[in-house]
Amino acid sequence: MSDASTDINALLRARLPAGAPLQIPPRCLLDMQGEPVDYVEGQSLAMRFPVLPRYQNPIGHMQGGFIVAALDNTLGPFSYLIAPPSVTTSLNTQYLRPVTQEMPHIVCHARLVERTRTQLFLAGEVRDDAGRVLVMCQAVCQILPQKAG
């Protein structure tokens, strides 16, 4: 984690309901070696992910499912930072440019578009080192009912 970013895992643990049986950080994020690079309270989160050979499709590009997993591993923690725990109900993705094997990493950005009482509307982007948008997505998360207590 860079000096410019906050300890995201500590923030997540502090904001979760007491006794919530949640793994922070989740194993899927650890497996993908995601690293927070920027967090703006209540507005956005950026995470960097390496482009590993094991993520390549037959033509040598990062397979779309791994790109979506990196986005989900950014949108998910961000959603927990801005609201009570939620689940993704839709995630729509548009691929604009390939993630090639020459790219050492990608940076996924999540930002809040709108929040209602029960839902979060989020936008995501994948960018390369030059700042070019490679992939865009829109997600809807359903905020889980909170137990009285």
Side-chain angles (χ1 to χ4, degrees):
M1 187 174 307
S2 70
D3 292 340
S5 65
T6 307
D7 183 347
I8 298 300
N9 293 326
L11 278 175
L12 285 167
R13 287 185 195 102
R15 293 180 186 189
L16 293 174
L22 301 171
Q23 165 98 29
I24 304 296
R27 288 182 187 96
C28 56
L29 179 58
L30 294 172
D31 285 348
M32 291 195 75
Q33 303 172 37
E35 173 189 19
V37 292
D38 189 46
Y39 175 59
V40 178
E41 179 76 30
Q43 295 179 30
S44 64
L45 173 65
M47 302 273 294
R48 180 178 18 243
F49 295 87
V51 177
L52 302 176
R54 68 176 178 255
Y55 300 156
Q56 291 177 358
N57 63 20
I59 60 173
H61 296 160
M62 189 172 184
Q63 194 260 351
F66 285 105
I67 297 169
V68 169
L71 279 164
D72 201 20
N73 275 316
T74 305
L75 294 163
F78 179 61
S79 73
Y80 279 38
L81 287 167
I82 60 173
S86 62
V87 294
T88 305
T89 56
S90 72
L91 192 135
N92 298 306
T93 309
Q94 299 81 42
Y95 300 93
L96 307 176
R97 295 178 177 92
V99 175
T100 65
Q101 58 192 338
E102 292 80 25
M103 297 175 183
H105 60 266
I106 55 174
V107 178
C108 296
H109 299 263
R111 68 177 172 82
L112 178 63
V113 175
E114 184 178 349
R115 178 181 175 172
T116 69
R117 189 176 54 79
T118 60
Q119 292 183 312
L120 298 172
F121 297 86
L122 307 175
E125 292 180 344
V126 175
R127 293 180 178 263
D128 64 10
D129 283 341
R132 292 180 304 173
V133 176
L134 309 173
V135 178
M136 299 182 338
C137 77
Q138 303 78 42
V140 178
C141 299
Q142 183 72 37
I143 297 172
L144 298 172
Q146 301 301 296
K147 295 178 182 171

